[in-house]
Amino acid sequence: MPARSASAPLTAAEARVLGDRAQTLLDELASVTDTPGQVNRTYLSPAHARAIDLVGAWMRERGMATTVDAVATLRGRREADITPETAPTLLVGSHIDTVIDAGKLDGCLGVIAGILAIEEIEARGERLPFAVEILAFGDEEGVRFPTALSSSSAVTGTYRREWLEVRDRKGVSLGEALAAFGCDASAIEAARIDPAGVVGWLEIHIEQGPLLEHWNMPLGVVTSIAGQSRFTFSLDGVAGHAGTVPMDLRHDALTGLAEIALTVERVGRQGTNGLVATVGRVDVKPGAGNTVPGRIEATLDIRAGADAPRLVAIDRIRYEAERIADRRGLRFELTRHIDVPTCPMDEALQAAFARSVGSLGLDVRLLPSGAGHDAMAMARSFPAAMLFVRSKDGISHNPKEWSSPEDIGLGVEALTRTILDLAKGRGT
Ligand code: GLV
Ligand code: MN
Ligand code: MN
């Protein structure tokens, strides 16, 4: 293939060829699942281990040296071409864990785009004044354990050791799951990357929303990421015989949950700055058709584009849930697992992404992210920026998640050009 100009727009055919290469890898990664027929790859599952093997092999085939850190983040490193002993590192990537019954793109695109950007840089004979390390995180979604972003938090030295005690639905603690996966939790501090040697963090991701499609634009530069708080909560009532306990003597945990879920929805609807509040998972105990539910365990996820509306909503939901529980003779307990403030992206890296998008002959669109991303944790230590690729119908966390090969190809090329742009800024 002839070397591609770093400043000319791609033809649709060129974008498609690059996008098809990415799609081939995305399809293969999507076949690595814990549930045949669905894409299910939660943190530290057997499929996660197989995904590390597969993606690690792709990295090694392209000349990268691979390691897996103490929280199962796969790292693929390409050393700098110029003064490698003292060169800084550019971090690139996203996550390879998925939600339940996921699409193929969320997270995986950012890792695969990074791998293909390295392949492009090699093919074009470019020389870099920094190492590039591609990070494939394992705990972005927070589906198996209530700890989203824990693997990227380890990289920034903000891992909370109490997370090791949280348990999945089968009662396995995160610490136990790490040990069974072959990870050494006593080495989590060593997973931290010193910010002094880091150029920044670049993450390509599908938009997971409708704005780029509405604007008819394939790519957009992210300005900030909505803050998010995640909780688990429980309601304890009294389990009893569905045939003998009269309605007015029941302490039914599930009907209490129903009232709380409607309160969560109402508070979400009344909020500002894109406030959203979700009860996403409910476990009913003991879970028998002929037994009044004695206990529920559920999740609560609250986000907004500014911190104040999110914090006010949390206080309101807690207050109202306690009143509902009191009135129904239930015990309500709320546990906060994650609290990440609204996170602006680095302006210099946003500008670098914008230059690359502009060089492709595209209008530069700026947009905020309502979804959470590893970039939120990475921004605690490093300049961090994200580029979004248009999502069909804005659909995500759904097997229908889709972006066209042309859009994916443009995303890979924009990432490649951004890496080269940063290299040029450092004097290559
Ligand atoms: C991750 O996808 C999140 O925003 O929950
Ligand atoms: Mn994601
Ligand atoms: Mn996701």
Side-chain angles (χ1 to χ4, degrees):
M1 205 195 305
R4 179 173 289 146
S5 159
S7 56
L10 288 196
T11 64
E14 285 173 324
R16 192 178 173 108
V17 167
L18 202 44
D20 282 344
R21 269 163 57 205
Q23 192 63 55
T24 301
L25 301 184
L26 287 160
D27 289 342
E28 197 174 342
L29 185 48
S31 72
V32 179
T33 176
D34 288 309
T35 314
Q38 283 188 354
V39 181
N40 283 346
R41 208 165 48 241
T42 57
Y43 187 35
L44 305 175
S45 71
H48 182 203
R50 296 200 304 279
I52 288 174
D53 289 345
L54 178 65
V55 177
W58 291 339
M59 290 170 167
R60 289 186 294 277
E61 281 162 18
R62 289 159 180 86
M64 286 172 255
T66 58
T67 51
V68 178
D69 74 14
V71 290
T73 299
L74 169 66
R75 302 172 175 211
R77 186 173 174 87
R78 178 197 186 276
E79 294 299 343
D81 301 292
I82 301 159
T83 58
E85 316 72 36
T86 53
T89 302
L90 176 68
L91 303 172
V92 177
S94 193
H95 60 97
I96 55 172
D97 63 322
T98 72
V99 293
I100 304 297
D101 202 8
K104 297 177 176 178
L105 292 162
D106 178 358
C108 301
L109 175 61
V111 174
I112 286 169
I115 292 172
L116 290 184
I118 293 296
E119 187 176 303
E120 285 295 302
I121 286 165
E122 299 292 357
R124 296 176 202 182
E126 300 282 357
R127 287 163 55 77
L128 298 179
F130 42 68
V132 178
E133 196 158 309
I134 300 183
L135 303 179
F137 293 118
D139 184 28
E140 192 269 358
E141 299 287 6
V143 169
R144 176 172 175 190
F145 298 98
T147 52
L149 306 176
S150 71
S151 35
S152 39
S153 297
V155 167
T156 60
T158 56
Y159 197 93
R160 290 178 15 209
R161 289 205 82 85
E162 65 263 29
W163 286 337
L164 296 172
E165 307 305 323
V166 299
R167 291 184 184 273
D168 68 8
R169 289 166 109 171
K170 293 189 177 141
V172 178
S173 76
L174 175 49
E176 289 160 358
L178 280 169
F181 205 75
C183 292
D184 176 8
S186 70
I188 287 176
E189 284 74 21
R192 175 179 176 269
I193 298 177
D194 183 354
V198 170
V199 177
W201 165 253
L202 301 181
E203 183 170 358
I204 303 262
H205 204 284
I206 49 164
E207 181 199 345
Q208 310 178 277
L211 275 180
L212 289 172
E213 191 170 68
H214 177 68
W215 292 329
N216 196 23
M217 277 294 141
L219 303 176
V221 179
V222 178
T223 52
S224 70
I225 305 176
Q228 64 169 274
S229 301
R230 294 207 203 179
F231 304 82
T232 50
F233 67 94
S234 59
L235 279 171
D236 280 294
V238 181
H241 197 297
T244 63
V245 185
M247 295 309 289
D248 56 348
L249 294 184
R250 292 185 178 196
H251 301 286
D252 181 332
L254 181 58
T255 49
L257 175 278
E259 208 177 328
I260 290 173
L262 290 172
T263 300
V264 167
E265 182 186 55
R266 178 169 43 77
V267 171
R269 283 193 175 152
Q270 290 168 351
T272 57
N273 293 79
L275 181 80
V276 283
T278 308
V279 175
R281 199 182 81 199
V282 179
D283 286 333
V284 182
K285 310 226 165 161
N290 61 353
T291 305
V292 177
R295 176 176 166 87
I296 66 94
E297 293 166 358
T299 60
L300 173 63
D301 176 310
I302 304 182
R303 311 177 189 211
D307 292 329
R310 176 174 50 88
L311 299 175
V312 167
I314 292 167
D315 284 347
R316 232 178 106 199
I317 288 170
R318 188 200 311 270
Y319 176 83
E320 295 205 25
E322 279 167 359
R323 299 287 82 73
I324 291 166
D326 278 354
R327 183 159 37 74
R328 290 173 166 272
L330 304 170
R331 196 160 59 81
F332 173 72
E333 208 170 288
L334 184 69
T335 308
R336 190 181 311 226
H337 299 284
I338 297 173
D339 223 4
V340 191
T342 306
C343 180
M345 296 287 90
D346 180 76
E347 294 203 354
L349 290 182
Q350 282 186 57
F353 267 140
R355 282 193 296 277
S356 302
V357 171
S359 78
L360 289 164
L362 302 169
D363 285 354
V364 175
R365 295 293 176 139
L366 305 177
L367 72 171
S369 173
H373 299 288
D374 289 301
M376 306 174 87
M378 297 301 270
R380 291 179 198 140
S381 286
F382 316 115
M386 294 191 74
L387 186 72
F388 275 171
V389 175
R390 169 168 53 189
S391 291
K392 177 155 173 35
D393 297 330
I395 292 175
S396 186
H397 285 191
N398 185 314
K400 292 205 181 95
E401 189 176 88
W402 192 80
S403 298
S404 74
E406 289 81 4
D407 288 2
I408 290 174
L410 288 169
V412 173
E413 179 64 19
L415 175 62
T416 307
R417 291 185 185 195
T418 304
I419 296 171
L420 295 175
D421 175 285
L422 295 174
K424 210 171 283 143
R426 289 176 173 255
T428 55

